[in-house]
Amino acid sequence: MQGLIIGGGIGGLTTAIALQQRGIDVQVYEQAPDIREVGTGLMMATNAMQVLSWLGLAESIRQTGWSLQKGFVTKPDGTPIQTVDIGALSRRYGFGMVAIHRGRLQTLLLNSLPADRIHTGKRLIDLQDNGRRVRVLFADGSTAEGDFCIGADGIRSAVRQQLFGDQPLRYSGQTCWRGLVDYPVPADARTTSYEYWGLPTGLRVGIVPVGADQLYVYVTAASPAGQSAEKSLPALLSLSESFAPSVKAVLEQVEEKRIHRADLYDLPTLPAWSKGRVTVLGDAAHATTPNLGQGACQAIEDAWAVAACLANYQEPDEAFRQFQALRKPKADRIVRLSRQIGQAVNAPGWLKPLLFTAMGSLPKSLTDRQFADVYDVSYLKRFEKTSVSQFPPVPAGSHSPAA
């Protein structure tokens, strides 16, 4: 069996690795002219690290990234509202969380694949599935064929558009600035992340160590969609006035050229992810706001799941139906929960003190269940250990209900 993957980001490359390890040949097509170390930081959370360990990549990622032990959600002055004991998650699941530069993660994944399997400068403009083979056409006039095609081409997926037409995105009401900041992190804070919630609607500042002297910083604020400014620093410094002096001290070290601004969108739940021999995964299937730090992590779960399904089912269309049945309920829950958190951040200032009190009063049993819903990936291994005969075919055209 030979396949095509459209998109050379984290989801596409991880999927290629997972398929390669199962003896399924794939070619990856990326529209960018080259795959470079760009981007800011991201979190490889407990669930992603478990899956990456199954692929033999977890230790390399721990060495490349920066392991965290604790996380705090705080009031504007730094008073803790909620605490995440990452060490406890590590003891429970075998892995904690690793903060890593997105570009370095992408390079690590890229280096795990044969160079002749990666093709850049390939922007998809057409896709045809004749029931036996899938043929794709790129903007440069070249074509490719395979037994199946996987769209891992992001929130504005060309593959999704070919399958299902235009799917409107949903604006969160927030814009976000992200960047890396060179900053001497105190020794006692080098494994601790902070997310400061401000009183103004939509306002947060996240500060995450990605090294002994470097921080990943993100700032969200309420904003109409499509607003932009030539310079980000004046806005960030103005927003920093709402927080503790330590937050302002970090934001004052931000360099304009290292800040990226983007409005935050998600993708409303799709009825289905696949059609025939073509499926989508990651942001192309279930783009989420970043409030749970799960965008890349969910794509990594997808990668393992779709590879397991293709290895266990001879026909790609059946494999993709099983993939959707396995993964869609959890992915849809993540999108909803992340959006709910974003809506809480969007609460008016007068309501925030009450919200902080409620967040700090959540019983541990409830937060443990919420963590398990996000970080437990044992359902993937149960599938792996179950014979094909125990999974009845899913009727064509059906889809798993939203959980």
Side-chain angles (χ1 to χ4, degrees):
M1 190 184 295
Q2 295 179 323
L4 314 173
I5 295 176
I6 308 300
I10 292 167
L13 295 176
T14 307
T15 302
I17 292 167
L19 288 167
Q20 174 186 262
Q21 291 185 3
R22 295 170 183 275
I24 299 174
D25 185 33
V26 290
Q27 303 284 335
V28 179
Y29 298 90
E30 165 60 38
Q31 70 171 352
D34 51 36
I35 300 177
R36 296 177 296 146
E37 283 199 3
V38 296
T40 56
L42 57 77
M43 191 82 75
M44 287 291 94
T46 299
N47 53 319
M49 291 300 295
Q50 292 174 80
V51 175
L52 291 165
S53 75
W54 304 340
L55 297 173
L57 297 170
E59 188 56 35
S60 295
I61 287 170
R62 280 200 288 208
Q63 292 176 2
T64 304
W66 192 259
S67 296
L68 302 176
Q69 292 298 317
K70 192 166 288 188
F72 290 103
V73 176
T74 82
K75 298 178 183 179
D77 63 359
T79 302
I81 303 171
Q82 293 179 330
T83 303
V84 180
D85 186 346
I86 300 172
L89 292 175
S90 181
R91 291 188 291 275
R92 178 172 181 179
Y93 295 108
F95 292 90
M97 300 186 187
V98 177
I100 190 169
H101 187 291
R102 177 182 289 271
R104 290 175 190 157
L105 172 60
Q106 199 165 359
T107 297
L108 188 153
L109 298 173
L110 189 64
N111 291 339
S112 300
L113 293 165
D116 63 358
R117 295 298 187 270
I118 310 296
H119 311 273
T120 56
K122 300 294 182 180
R123 181 172 64 86
L124 179 83
I125 60 172
D126 190 40
L127 182 153
Q128 299 293 329
D129 176 3
N130 66 11
R132 299 181 303 277
R133 299 273 287 176
V134 179
R135 182 177 185 271
V136 296
L137 171 65
F138 300 106
D140 64 1
S142 63
T143 62
E145 289 191 14
D147 296 303
F148 62 85
C149 179
I150 296 173
D153 51 340
I155 189 170
R156 303 183 190 277
S157 168
V159 175
R160 185 182 69 234
Q161 200 279 334
Q162 290 285 327
L163 291 181
F164 307 121
D166 293 332
Q167 301 292 319
L169 303 178
R170 182 170 52 183
Y171 185 48
S172 68
Q174 297 172 19
T175 193
C176 182
W177 295 266
R178 300 180 177 95
L180 296 171
V181 181
D182 295 328
Y183 192 85
V185 185
D188 60 355
R190 288 179 180 172
T191 59
T192 304
S193 69
Y194 293 88
E195 184 171 275
Y196 299 82
W197 283 38
L199 294 180
T201 299
L203 184 57
R204 278 174 301 180
V205 175
I207 298 176
V208 184
V210 291
D213 298 301
Q214 192 171 66
L215 298 168
Y216 165 50
V217 174
Y218 58 89
V219 180
T220 67
S223 174
Q227 299 294 305
S228 62
E230 289 186 5
K231 293 186 179 296
S232 295
L233 288 185
L236 295 181
L237 293 178
S238 176
L239 293 171
S240 73
E241 299 291 345
S242 298
F243 296 96
S246 58
V247 176
K248 184 176 182 180
V250 170
L251 294 183
E252 286 176 338
Q253 300 304 311
V254 171
E255 297 178 50
E256 184 74 48
K257 64 182 180 181
R258 300 177 75 183
I259 285 291
H260 170 72
R261 178 181 176 177
D263 292 339
L264 300 180
Y265 290 86
D266 66 9
L267 179 67
T269 301
L270 295 175
W273 291 353
S274 64
K275 184 182 292 185
R277 291 172 171 260
V278 185
T279 196
V280 288
L281 57 72
D283 281 355
H286 47 78
T288 179
T289 49
N291 301 304
L292 286 168
Q294 280 291 305
C297 299
Q298 289 302 300
I300 288 168
E301 287 194 35
D302 285 347
W304 175 270
V306 77
C309 291
L310 283 165
N312 279 283
Y313 293 89
Q314 291 185 347
E315 293 300 322
D317 56 347
E318 178 60 23
F320 291 154
R321 286 194 289 270
Q322 295 291 343
F323 162 60
Q324 177 179 307
L326 179 67
R327 279 286 299 135
K328 194 172 189 296
K330 179 176 180 179
D332 287 350
R333 288 197 302 271
I334 295 294
V335 172
R336 285 198 302 273
L337 179 56
S338 183
R339 183 166 181 82
Q340 289 167 2
I341 294 171
Q343 290 171 334
V345 177
N346 283 342
W350 65 266
L351 187 58
K352 288 286 180 67
L354 297 176
L355 180 62
F356 295 161
T357 299
M359 291 168 61
S361 301
L362 292 176
K364 185 177 183 299
S365 58
L366 176 59
T367 58
D368 284 348
R369 287 199 300 273
Q370 291 175 334
F371 286 153
D373 202 35
V374 176
Y375 300 132
D376 190 345
V377 292
S378 59
Y379 75 103
L380 295 175
K381 294 299 282 185
R382 285 197 299 270
F383 172 84
E384 183 72 2
K385 294 174 182 176
T386 305
S387 66
V388 174
S389 62
Q390 291 175 277
F391 274 79
V394 178
S398 70
H399 61 84
S400 56

